[in-house]
Amino acid sequence: MANNEWVHCPICGNKTRLQIRVDIELKNFPLYCPKCRQESLIDAKDLQVTVIKGLEVKAQS
């Protein structure tokens, strides 16, 4: 059985809608947080998530 882990938002710390496994590798992945409505570029390898930079998302009115 693979070990799954939720990815947490680097800005507010809440769980996002993304789960990663040990064998998943992400590069320059745009992670969106539905709670704080911010987007961040992340890298992930061996369940270790590294933030590349945070991007601001403009709210639509």
Side-chain angles (χ1 to χ4, degrees):
M1 185 171 140
N3 188 11
N4 295 344
E5 189 172 301
W6 288 100
V7 177
H8 292 266
C9 175
I11 298 167
C12 69
N14 287 312
K15 279 197 268 186
T16 60
R17 296 179 179 147
L18 181 70
Q19 275 189 332
I20 57 173
R21 299 186 325 201
V22 176
D23 60 342
I24 297 293
E25 186 173 332
L26 299 172
K27 292 189 181 198
N28 295 326
F29 184 81
L31 177 69
Y32 177 75
C33 177
K35 177 156 176 132
C36 68
R37 296 183 177 161
Q38 297 292 316
E39 189 173 301
S40 303
L41 280 179
I42 63 167
D43 287 344
K45 185 175 183 181
D46 298 327
L47 296 178
Q48 296 296 318
V49 177
T50 307
V51 179
I52 299 170
K53 65 178 177 178
L55 304 173
E56 289 193 25
V57 177
K58 294 181 181 177
Q60 295 178 354
S61 52

